[in-house]
Amino acid sequence: MMDTVKTVRDTSTNIIAERRKLLQQFIDETRKNNKNVDVEVEKLIADKLSDDACLLDKFLLSKSSNDDVIPDEVVNEEISLVCFTGHYTTTMTMSHTLYCLAKYPSDLSKMKYLEAVIKESIRVIPTVTKIGRQLEKDLELADGRIVPAKSAVIVFYEAMFVNPKIFPEPERYDPERFLSNMHQFAFVPFSAGPRNCIGFRYAWVAMKATLSNIIRRYEILPGGPGSEPLFKYRIITESENGIHLKLKKRTY
């Protein structure tokens, strides 16, 4: 694992160095080409980069509260976080969704319904099993008890997603429950607010497109006897024996 982590970080370090060099060249050339023009060069550069910038550029061009350039090691940490949260969670969520489609065949003629299927699959098999937060202020519970500020709070999704007050008949796989109105915080599988998962936000559209392409071409079938997944709820829910499925090419 550590060898893999080192490879990822070393690769990111090289990419960051090369990209920072290219950005600096662009900045220098822009200043040189506009030195005799009555324009705000800094604003011109910012506007141009804002239009064309990728996520890495935005990190590299960010500054700290005291106007210092963000160090490369900090950028590397952010990139690694996005890669992990946007790659591994997405991979597991798609795998779990395909498994649920094989086990509970659904009508996926509409992309809106596909999104409901993904959400219901996450509810049944939570990709992230729990999240932790530290309270900034006292939290009063419904029964009157007070959780004091600075307490560490763990939110267990396995329990939240089977609450019958929010999800009637929670043991039933029913994507259509997500087509009706629901409290905005009833289903927040990757947190919510300013601390929600940035990686998954970027991956959501791509995940729907990928699943849509698969299910338009293939019928998803269970893997056969003895292939039922053995789910373990770790940081991310994984199957110890993998997820075995069969694909049958659609004829239309």
Side-chain angles (χ1 to χ4, degrees):
M1 184 187 73
M2 296 310 297
D3 287 342
T4 303
V5 170
K6 184 178 185 304
T7 299
V8 171
R9 292 188 67 83
D10 288 348
T11 302
S12 297
T13 298
N14 293 334
I15 292 172
I16 288 168
E18 289 297 318
R19 190 62 184 173
R20 198 180 283 282
K21 187 188 301 181
L22 287 174
L23 284 174
Q24 191 58 51
Q25 288 177 357
F26 172 79
I27 291 170
D28 292 342
E29 288 175 5
T30 302
R31 285 178 176 151
K32 180 181 177 181
N33 294 336
N34 291 276
K35 61 182 179 182
N36 296 321
V37 181
D38 187 20
V39 295
E40 295 183 45
V41 176
E42 296 295 334
K43 186 176 185 307
L44 180 66
I45 293 171
D47 290 344
K48 175 63 176 174
L49 291 175
S50 177
D51 290 339
D52 298 338
C54 62
L55 183 62
L56 176 58
D57 289 353
K58 293 182 186 296
F59 282 136
L60 294 175
L61 295 168
S62 298
K63 292 188 177 181
S64 64
S65 56
N66 57 2
D67 211 35
D68 289 336
V69 173
I70 302 296
D72 285 359
E73 58 267 25
V74 176
V75 175
N76 201 325
E77 289 175 0
E78 295 295 328
I79 293 297
S80 297
L81 174 65
V82 170
C83 287
F84 176 78
T85 57
H87 176 271
Y88 196 41
T89 56
T90 304
T91 302
M92 288 296 99
T93 301
M94 286 197 294
S95 298
H96 299 161
T97 301
L98 289 170
Y99 165 70
C100 289
L101 283 171
K103 192 171 182 179
Y104 313 104
S106 303
D107 179 7
L108 296 167
S109 59
K110 298 180 180 178
M111 286 296 289
K112 182 179 179 182
Y113 194 79
L114 174 58
E115 182 168 323
V117 167
I118 297 171
K119 289 181 177 180
E120 179 69 346
S121 299
I122 294 173
R123 186 192 69 82
V124 172
I125 310 170
T127 308
V128 177
T129 59
K130 60 188 71 68
I131 58 170
R133 293 291 184 267
Q134 186 176 55
L135 297 179
E136 291 185 346
K137 57 185 180 181
D138 291 354
L139 172 65
E140 183 176 357
L141 302 179
D143 61 6
R145 289 178 296 168
I146 302 293
V147 183
K150 299 191 181 301
S151 296
V153 177
I154 305 297
V155 180
F156 290 92
Y157 286 134
E158 308 103 296
M160 287 180 61
F161 294 166
V162 294
N163 183 348
K165 294 180 180 178
I166 302 173
F167 304 104
E169 298 182 77
E171 71 285 350
R172 186 163 63 94
Y173 185 85
D174 180 19
E176 293 191 12
R177 69 173 83 243
F178 285 99
L179 299 180
S180 58
N181 291 331
M182 188 179 293
H183 191 283
Q184 62 175 330
F185 293 126
F187 184 75
V188 285
F190 302 97
S191 189
R195 296 298 299 164
N196 70 344
C197 177
I198 183 174
F200 201 81
R201 289 208 310 270
Y202 284 105
W204 186 257
V205 174
M207 183 171 64
K208 286 200 295 183
T210 302
L211 287 170
S212 176
N213 279 321
I214 292 173
I215 60 183
R216 282 180 180 139
R217 289 167 172 77
Y218 300 97
E219 184 181 352
I220 315 299
L221 303 170
S227 65
E228 190 71 12
L230 300 174
F231 290 114
K232 295 294 182 181
Y233 294 95
R234 298 166 176 147
I235 295 176
I236 290 178
T237 303
E238 301 172 284
S239 170
E240 283 191 331
N241 60 334
I243 295 180
H244 301 271
L245 302 170
K246 293 179 181 178
L247 302 179
K248 180 180 179 181
K249 192 171 181 62
R250 298 187 187 275
T251 56
Y252 55 86

